[in-house]
């Protein structure tokens, strides 16, 4: 094999490797652009509010319940909570800055529940970020497209329509 043939073979191998690298670089660039357009970028995911609840105190029947709320994600512009403890339901709204440490929140008593639970648990937790997007925090942080309609359905399912209202989520009551 002569030196000119070796140069031709090396040029062909180099061209094939360059083509292979260009194809994979283009695929990676397109995938990145697609994830930013869809909203799956790391920055986008880190701005989603992620409230975390801790139940702290025993409550007397008919009194407010004290909970600790910590925001692990982006700014919580509005959050609607419905919590059941024993045979009582509590509800309220709150706002928290981004990555806020745990702070005590008092939720007022709303109504007696029709069934008793052994451990306190949230029945509804919906959050709104500063961009106006709403998230169902109990369903893995799934985005809610129409918060007013979704919240009406959830309250109907809990048989609590007319008992509570979350204007920071729905944008207020239309008259």
């Amino acid at each position: 094999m002569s030196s000119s043939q070796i140069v031709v073979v090396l040029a062909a191998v180099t061209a094939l490797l360059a083509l292979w690298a260009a194809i994979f670089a283009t695929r990676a660039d397109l995938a990145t652009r697609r994830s930013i357009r869809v909203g799956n970028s790391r920055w986008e995911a880190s701005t989603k509010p992620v409230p975390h609840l801790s139940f702290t105190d025993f409550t007397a029947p008919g009194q407010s319940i004290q909970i600790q709320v910590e925001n692990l994600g982006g700014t919580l512009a509005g959050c609607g909570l419905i919590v059941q403890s024993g045979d009582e339901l509590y509800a309220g709204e709150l706002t928290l800055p981004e990555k806020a440490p745990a702070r005590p929140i008092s939720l007022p008593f709303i109504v007696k529940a029709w069934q008793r639970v052994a451990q306190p648990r949230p029945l509804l937790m919906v959050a709104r970020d500063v961009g106006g997007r709403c998230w169902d925090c109990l369903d893995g942080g799934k985005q809610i497209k129409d918060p007013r309609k979704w919240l009406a359905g959830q309250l109907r399912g809990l048989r609590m329509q007319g008992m509570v209202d979350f204007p920071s989520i729905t944008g207020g009551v239309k008259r």
Side-chain angles (χ1 to χ4, degrees):
M1 190 180 260
S2 69
S3 62
S4 63
Q5 291 174 333
I6 292 174
V7 170
V8 170
V9 169
L10 284 176
V13 169
T14 304
L16 285 174
L17 288 174
L19 179 64
W20 178 76
I23 289 171
F24 282 101
T26 303
R27 287 182 62 196
D29 181 57
L30 291 174
T32 302
R33 290 175 190 253
R34 191 176 309 121
S35 71
I36 290 173
R37 185 174 47 242
V38 172
N40 292 333
S41 69
R42 290 179 191 255
W43 181 84
E44 188 83 23
S46 69
T47 61
K48 178 172 54 171
V50 182
H52 176 72
L53 300 180
S54 302
F55 297 92
T56 57
D57 264 344
F58 172 75
T59 58
Q63 299 296 315
S64 296
I65 189 172
Q66 294 289 322
I67 60 173
Q68 292 278 338
V69 181
E70 178 181 17
N71 185 12
L72 304 174
T75 302
L76 190 64
C79 179
L81 287 170
I82 297 177
V83 173
Q84 182 176 1
S85 178
D87 62 348
E88 297 181 334
L89 297 178
Y90 305 87
E93 286 188 302
L94 60 112
T95 59
L96 288 173
E98 184 174 355
K99 296 186 174 120
R103 75 174 206 202
I105 304 288
S106 179
L107 295 178
F109 168 75
I110 300 297
V111 69
K112 287 281 191 184
W114 64 275
Q115 187 175 17
R116 185 173 186 79
V117 294
Q119 297 292 324
R121 64 183 179 126
L123 298 177
L124 181 126
M125 186 171 15
V126 59
R128 185 177 58 83
D129 64 9
V130 291
R133 295 172 298 192
C134 290
W135 312 91
D136 181 1
C137 300
L138 296 181
D139 190 16
K142 187 174 77 174
Q143 187 172 359
I144 301 167
K145 300 294 182 194
D146 186 359
R148 187 180 310 264
K149 182 178 176 183
W150 180 87
L151 193 57
Q154 294 296 312
L155 292 175
R156 191 176 323 103
L158 293 170
R159 292 173 176 76
M160 293 188 71
Q161 66 268 32
M163 291 183 202
V164 294
D165 185 29
F166 301 117
S168 68
I169 303 298
T170 60
V173 179
K174 283 190 175 180
R175 300 217 184 250

